[in-house]
Each structure stands twice: as structure tokens, then as C-alpha cells.
Amino acid sequence: MMTNFLYRTIHFYYDGFRHMTVGRTLWAVIIVKLIIIFLVLKVFFFPNYISEHSDAGSEPDFVASELIDRAESDVLTP
């Protein structure tokens, strides 16, 4: 029973994607936008803060100290 439902669901989506016309263009636009967002914008607008502010090999210690320092400053601030 469950395998029949699963098969029908997979076949429904497979058949729908296979017979798409306008949808293919829309999926292409979505994929291009995701590539731009994750590859291009990340390189220019989201630098690797941890590697720039810590020594090589001591990244976990840097993150731990930052978390502790920020938690202490939040507690001390009224």
C-alpha cells in the first residue's frame, strides 16, 4: 500500500517535470539566481571572518573565546 503511494507520488512529479514547458525556463532562472547568490555574493560580501581574525589552527579557540566574551558582556550590560 505504502509502496504504491510512493510510486504514484514519484511518478506524478517525474511526469510533471518531464512535460514542463514554461516551468523549465523558470527553473533555469531560479538556478541561475541561486548560483549568483551563493557563489558570487558570498565571495564579495561575506568574507571569512574567523580565518582573518585568528591564527591558523586556533580557530576553535577563537570561536570559544568570542562566545564567552560576548556572553559575559551581555550579562554585565544592564
Side-chain angles (χ1 to χ4, degrees), residues 5-78:
F5 173 74
L6 186 62
Y7 173 75
R8 287 188 302 144
T9 304
I10 291 171
H11 182 68
F12 173 76
Y13 283 105
Y14 176 75
D15 194 40
F17 281 116
R18 190 169 39 137
H19 288 77
M20 259 198 276
T21 55
V22 177
R24 287 185 184 176
T25 306
L26 294 175
W27 276 107
V29 169
I30 290 169
I31 290 171
V32 167
K33 286 173 77 173
L34 287 173
I35 289 170
I36 290 171
I37 288 171
F38 287 113
L39 294 180
V40 175
L41 291 179
K42 184 184 182 310
V43 171
F44 292 111
F45 294 109
F46 302 110
N48 194 347
Y49 182 83
I50 295 173
S51 67
E52 291 178 0
H53 291 86
S54 68
D55 298 328
S58 66
E59 290 89 357
D61 296 330
F62 173 75
V63 172
S65 65
E66 285 293 312
L67 288 172
I68 292 169
D69 292 344
R70 290 180 186 193
E72 287 176 353
S73 67
D74 287 343
V75 170
L76 297 176
T77 309

